[in-house]
Amino acid sequence: KTGYSTDAEVLDMLRHESPIVEKILAYRSVAKLVSTYCEGLAVLINDKTKRIHTTFNQMVTATGRLSSSDPNLQNIPIRTKEGRRIRYAFLPEHDDWKILSSDYSQIELRVLAHIAGDKHMIEAFKNNVDIHTNTAMRVFGIINPEDVTSEMRRQAKAVNFGIVYGISDYGLSQNLNISRKRAKEFIDRYLEEFQGVKDFMESIVKEAREKDYVETLFHRRRYLPDIHSSNFNLRSFAERTAMNSPIQGSAADILKMAMIELDREMRERQFKANLLLQVHDELIFEVPQDELESLQSLVEEVMENAVSLKVPLRADSNVGDNWFEAK
């Protein structure tokens, strides 16, 4: 309505129209890295400690996750090769220490399997089967896992994570660059195969309408005043939020419970290591060499046993001289 747009979404759709579009997007990407991270982080180095210190906020996000500000260290780039290189700058305080990164594997899908009680998802996680390959097999009617192509798995992955956020056929069609009709067929087929998920989605929206709120597994509430709105967009967003909040909120609760238990154990065992950052489902530590093996074992044990679900929780760890190498 204000004229031609050159925002990223529009330019992304015009990539194939002219070579200049790709160059503009590349320039913007690099310019943002320089201004936000290279220059932006440098001015925030503390004079006394020579380190950058973020502030973690407990009461900002509606989902219950911790958020980070001044600077936000939870949005250090990961998707692009150039962006990931920023992580080389995140080092342990001492030269002979290491960075340890431990993150939950597919925690939201595991929480969904537990809450929905879906037998196919539970079976896949219990048998340590790749959940996206398993979904592709069911959605595409394939018998042998080796017959699932990388494209099929990619599409199944988009559906798996999209379902967690109450994705629409339009949203999925945009993600996968397919028609809305095809996207709707995907979602319908998924819900046919994963009946437990379908039942959960219907029941949680109904519950939200009755109570005006939904709860995590640990009874933390999220109120949804727009669930009765006459405005279709507001009401639809509230319905999608009703589906997502128990899942994302429970995942946030589980990680916080793991952090509290880890803090207690690390104090009790007098570890010198420090927990530096929490980024969504990931915990990042700086660790002396002689504590590395014992701390990695402790972190994985605590994270995987923070709560008892119908499916196992899994934590994966990586070690490096900096955050880049530990991811």
Side-chain angles (χ1 to χ4, degrees):
K1 65 187 176 184
T2 54
Y4 293 112
S5 171
T6 58
D7 68 20
E9 191 178 337
V10 172
L11 289 182
D12 205 42
M13 290 190 287
L14 297 173
R15 272 180 192 271
H16 309 297
E17 299 293 328
S18 167
I20 191 68
V21 177
E22 197 72 53
K23 291 179 178 179
I24 292 169
L25 286 167
Y27 174 83
R28 282 189 186 173
S29 173
V30 174
K32 182 174 172 59
L33 289 176
V34 171
S35 62
T36 306
Y37 302 107
C38 301
E39 296 171 352
L41 291 177
V43 298
L44 296 171
I45 297 170
N46 184 285
D47 289 338
K48 289 182 182 174
T49 65
K50 303 303 177 190
R51 308 188 90 189
I52 292 168
H53 302 270
T54 187
T55 298
F56 282 103
N57 311 293
Q58 176 89 295
M59 304 291 288
V60 170
T61 68
T63 59
R65 289 184 183 277
L66 293 178
S67 69
S68 162
S69 57
D70 304 319
N72 180 358
L73 294 183
Q74 292 180 333
N75 73 345
I76 303 299
I78 189 72
R79 295 184 190 282
T80 64
K81 191 172 95 173
E82 293 82 4
R84 282 196 297 274
R85 289 172 61 192
I86 300 290
R87 293 172 180 237
Y88 276 116
F90 289 80
L91 306 165
E93 187 170 13
H94 307 287
D95 291 341
D96 55 342
W97 285 31
K98 296 285 185 182
I99 295 290
L100 168 68
S101 165
S102 295
D103 73 325
Y104 275 121
S105 170
Q106 300 166 334
I107 187 170
E108 290 184 1
L109 290 175
R110 291 170 192 266
V111 169
L112 173 60
H114 172 84
I115 293 178
D118 185 272
K119 63 181 182 181
H120 296 314
M121 289 188 83
I122 290 171
E123 183 186 8
F125 281 125
K126 278 189 170 178
N127 294 327
N128 202 25
V129 172
D130 179 78
I131 192 69
H132 305 312
T133 300
N134 181 263
T135 298
M137 288 169 67
R138 295 192 172 280
V139 171
F140 293 106
I142 293 169
I143 296 169
N144 299 315
E146 54 270 23
D147 292 334
V148 174
T149 65
S150 58
E151 180 61 16
M152 287 174 178
R153 187 184 180 277
R154 185 182 77 86
Q155 292 181 336
K157 184 176 180 179
V159 177
N160 271 333
F161 286 118
I163 288 291
V164 171
Y165 291 89
I167 200 165
S168 64
D169 53 5
Y170 173 75
L172 185 62
S173 71
Q174 292 293 297
N175 285 356
L176 293 177
N177 198 20
I178 57 176
S179 69
R180 282 185 76 165
K181 184 185 174 193
R182 184 90 175 107
K184 186 175 187 309
E185 286 170 4
F186 265 137
I187 293 171
D188 290 347
R189 183 88 180 104
Y190 178 97
L191 295 175
E192 270 176 40
E193 286 293 320
F194 297 93
Q195 189 65 44
V197 176
K198 182 182 181 183
D199 293 345
F200 159 72
M201 290 166 73
E202 289 172 353
S203 65
I204 199 69
V205 171
K206 185 182 174 192
E207 186 181 317
R209 289 196 189 106
E210 289 168 359
K211 296 181 176 178
D212 291 348
Y213 66 82
V214 290
E215 289 184 317
T216 68
L217 284 170
F218 311 98
H219 306 295
R220 189 165 50 76
R221 294 181 183 181
R222 180 165 182 183
Y223 284 89
L224 301 165
D226 290 330
I227 198 76
H228 304 293
S229 175
S230 57
N231 181 303
F232 175 78
N233 289 334
L234 290 177
R235 189 174 67 253
S236 296
F237 181 74
E239 288 171 356
R240 291 196 299 276
T241 304
M243 296 174 204
N244 173 251
S245 291
I247 301 162
Q248 198 178 124
S250 295
D253 293 346
I254 290 168
L255 188 60
K256 284 182 180 176
M257 290 157 81
M259 288 170 73
I260 291 166
E261 179 62 17
L262 266 171
D263 180 65
R264 191 184 66 76
E265 286 281 351
M266 287 172 69
R267 286 173 192 272
E268 206 170 274
R269 301 188 194 191
Q270 297 185 323
F271 276 102
K272 294 190 188 76
N274 297 308
L275 172 56
L276 295 178
L277 286 177
Q278 183 262 5
V279 182
H280 310 311
D281 304 326
E282 177 187 9
L283 299 177
I284 297 133
F285 303 81
E286 57 177 5
V287 194
Q289 288 272 15
D290 59 349
E291 291 182 0
L292 198 52
E293 198 174 317
S294 53
L295 183 68
Q296 183 171 337
S297 176
L298 173 66
V299 170
E300 289 177 7
E301 182 189 341
V302 168
M303 288 176 73
E304 290 178 351
N305 294 285
V307 296
S308 178
L309 301 180
K310 293 169 188 166
V311 298
L313 287 173
R314 202 179 97 199
D316 298 322
S317 298
N318 288 292
V319 176
D321 290 331
N322 51 63
W323 191 7
F324 180 93
E325 291 178 7
K327 185 61 181 164

